[in-house]
């Protein structure tokens, strides 16, 4: 009798098996398995690493029936993770026949019984539900930025965490699934200057944060650049009890810059990442196309971020959503500080241009500072002449009458 479905890939010694019993996929002897599994996979009780790998590979693409506490489901094994979880695709409930979209993760402690109705391996097939489900490579290289996929707590994970911890500034983004306030974190993207790390949180789970990601995200000495921090902050806190700190939000910076440039008007909506990148970094359409197609892909396939393995098209989208955040921060900072810089220059030039030095109290408000009020009024006049106003007194972003809106135009 086989003691567990994935005994070979989990068991290292007898004492370790006793410690893990009841909390992983290392089941007790009360769980029985069909004889076909034992006959189809020949392996010793104490398997080597290569034998373990072959054992797990032999299970892939097989249909399996899994009995849970309240139901029984059937699905095709896509992957077995180091966290003793099973990833199933083409999943349906045995009793009702109800199908589940995307990939379903079953944790070891949830499983009561496992059966293989068909011992034959299923041939790999393309998904008929979505055109983006294709085989993908681990690493891709685009425009000098190295993109690294991390879906296991081995090999790449440790070096990635160490590299990120050495940074002073990083970009972060996330892909979630579900309605607002009930999102589930599927992917976490972290960008340094030359590397984008794509952490598959759906597979890594909470162990990814316990093994280093939480220390990075909660580190007050590492600045995290993000576009709209609300969703990622909520997901990290609610799902993993991770509190994001030291954040520079590019969406907030763009909002503040809009407020300054228009003399105190607010826009009718916040700017999307592609809008902000086009406006401030002047990126060409080719670089923005992955972001522009993101919403369309979501509509075509709501379970988009559940697809495993992740196809190259989605990896490109995820990389694009984070790889420009670091240069974007610098441009926004310069723009936000421009008024300050101009006023300091005015202070300097006012002294040098005076033919006769006029003594005044150091607490007197300089004439250059008093001009800020007139500058603000000029900007308000400029904004009302180029934007339509809503009933609430907000400026419609989409109504701007030229293609480009820059700081120089507003002054």
């Amino acid at each position: 009798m086989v003691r567990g479905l994935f005994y070979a890939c989990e068991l290292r010694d007898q004492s370790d098996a006793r410690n893990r019993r009841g909390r992983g996929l290392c089941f007790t002897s009360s769980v029985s398995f069909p004889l076909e599994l034992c006959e189809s996979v020949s392996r010793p009780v104490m398997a080597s690493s290569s034998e373990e790998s072959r054992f797990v590979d032999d299970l892939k693409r097989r249909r399996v029936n899994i009995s849970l506490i309240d139901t029984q489901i059937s699905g095709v094994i896509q992957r077995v993770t180091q966290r003793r979880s099973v990833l199933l695709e083409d999943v349906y409930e045995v009793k009702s026949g109800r199908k589940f979209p995307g990939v379903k993760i079953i944790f070891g402690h949830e499983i009561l019984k496992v059966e293989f109705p068909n011992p034959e391996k299923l041939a790999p097939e393309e998904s008929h539900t979505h055109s983006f489900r294709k085989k993908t490579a681990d690493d891709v290289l685009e425009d000098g930025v190295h993109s690294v996929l991390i879906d296991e707590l081995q090999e790449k994970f440790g070096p990635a965490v160490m590299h990120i911890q050495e940074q002073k500034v990083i970009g972060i983004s996330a892909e979630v699934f579900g309605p607002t306030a009930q999102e589930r974190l599927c992917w976490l993207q972290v960008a340094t200057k030359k590397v984008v790390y794509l952490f598959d949180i759906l597979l890594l789970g909470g162990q990814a944060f316990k093994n280093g990601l939480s220390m990075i995200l909660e580190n007050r000495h590492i600045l995290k650049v993000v576009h709209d921090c609300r969703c990622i902050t909520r997901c990290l806190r609610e799902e993993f009890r991770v509190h994001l700190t030291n954040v520079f939000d590019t969406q907030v910076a763009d909002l503040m810059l809009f407020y300054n440039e228009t003399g105190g008007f607010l826009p009718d909506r916040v700017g999307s990442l592609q809008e902000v990148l086009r406006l401030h970094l002047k990126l060409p359409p080719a670089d923005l196309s992955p972001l522009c197609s993101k919403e369309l892909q979501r509509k075509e396939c709501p379970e988009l971020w559940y697809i495993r393995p992740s196809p190259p098209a989605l990896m490109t989208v995820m990389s694009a959503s984070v790889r420009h955040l670091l240069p974007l921060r610098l441009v926004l900072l310069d723009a936000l500080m421009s008024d300050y810089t101009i006023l300091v220059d005015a202070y300097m030039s006012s002294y040098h241009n005076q033919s006769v030095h006029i003594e005044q109290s150091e607490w007197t408000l300089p004439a250059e500072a008093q001009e800020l009020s007139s500058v603000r009024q000029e900007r308000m006049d400029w904004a009302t002449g180029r934007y339509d106003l809503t009933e609430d007194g907000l400026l419609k972003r989409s109504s701007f009458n030229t293609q480009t809106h820059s700081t120089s135009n507003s002054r």
Side-chain angles (χ1 to χ4, degrees), residues 235-332:
C235 287
L236 290 173
R237 183 178 63 248
E238 297 298 328
E239 285 193 65
F240 305 104
R241 297 182 181 180
V242 175
H243 298 275
L244 190 63
T245 61
N246 194 12
V247 171
F248 181 94
D249 194 316
T250 56
Q251 189 177 83
V252 174
D254 173 71
L255 181 63
M256 292 301 300
L257 188 57
F258 186 97
Y259 181 85
N260 291 342
E261 292 181 339
T262 58
F265 282 108
L266 289 174
D268 61 334
R269 59 177 176 81
V270 293
S272 65
L273 179 58
Q274 55 265 36
E275 287 176 324
V276 175
L277 289 173
R278 181 177 63 248
L279 178 64
H280 299 290
L281 287 188
K282 306 297 188 292
L283 291 183
D287 289 346
L288 296 172
S289 60
L291 294 174
C292 296
S293 65
K294 187 174 180 179
E295 290 302 321
L296 178 60
Q297 294 177 21
R298 280 179 177 174
K299 292 179 181 179
E300 292 180 357
C301 183
E303 67 276 9
L304 184 67
W305 307 118
Y306 273 9
I307 294 177
R308 300 295 185 277
S310 181
L314 292 188
M315 293 180 65
T316 301
V317 170
M318 289 188 287
S319 297
S321 66
V322 70
R323 55 198 288 265
H324 299 295
L325 289 178
L326 298 186
L328 177 61
R329 164 185 166 264
L330 297 178
V331 172
L332 288 171

Side-chain angles (χ1 to χ4, degrees), residues 8 47 49 51 207 326:
S49 298
E51 289 169 336
Q207 291 298 322
L326 298 186

Side-chain angles (χ1 to χ4, degrees), residues 387-400:
Y387 288 96
D388 293 335
L389 279 171
T390 67
E391 295 180 355
D392 299 324
L394 304 176
L395 299 182
K396 292 183 179 179
R397 276 184 181 265
S398 59
S399 67
F400 189 65

Side-chain angles (χ1 to χ4, degrees), residues 53 55 88 91 93 106 114 152 182 251 257 359 381 383 387:
S53 178
F55 175 75
L88 301 178
V91 184
E93 189 176 34
I106 308 298
V114 177
E152 293 182 342
Q182 298 179 13
Q251 189 177 83
L257 188 57
E359 293 187 5
D381 296 338
Y387 288 96

Side-chain angles (χ1 to χ4, degrees), residues 98 258 313 342 344 355:
R98 180 170 62 96
F258 186 97
I342 291 173
V344 171
S355 58

Side-chain angles (χ1 to χ4, degrees), residues 79 136 138 148-151 172-177 184-190 197-204 209 213 232 235-236 239-240 303-311 314-315 318 321:
R79 183 176 174 186
T136 181
D138 284 342
V148 180
L149 172 64
I150 300 177
D151 55 5
I172 63 172
S173 183
E175 308 302 340
V176 302
F177 178 78
R184 180 171 185 180
L185 185 62
C186 299
W187 291 91
L188 179 70
Q189 302 98 279
V190 179
Y197 296 103
L198 308 176
F199 291 95
D200 191 340
I201 303 301
L202 204 61
L203 299 185
L204 297 172
F209 298 96
L213 288 184
I232 185 172
C235 287
L236 290 173
E239 285 193 65
F240 305 104
E303 67 276 9
L304 184 67
W305 307 118
Y306 273 9
I307 294 177
R308 300 295 185 277
S310 181
L314 292 188
M315 293 180 65
M318 289 188 287
S321 66

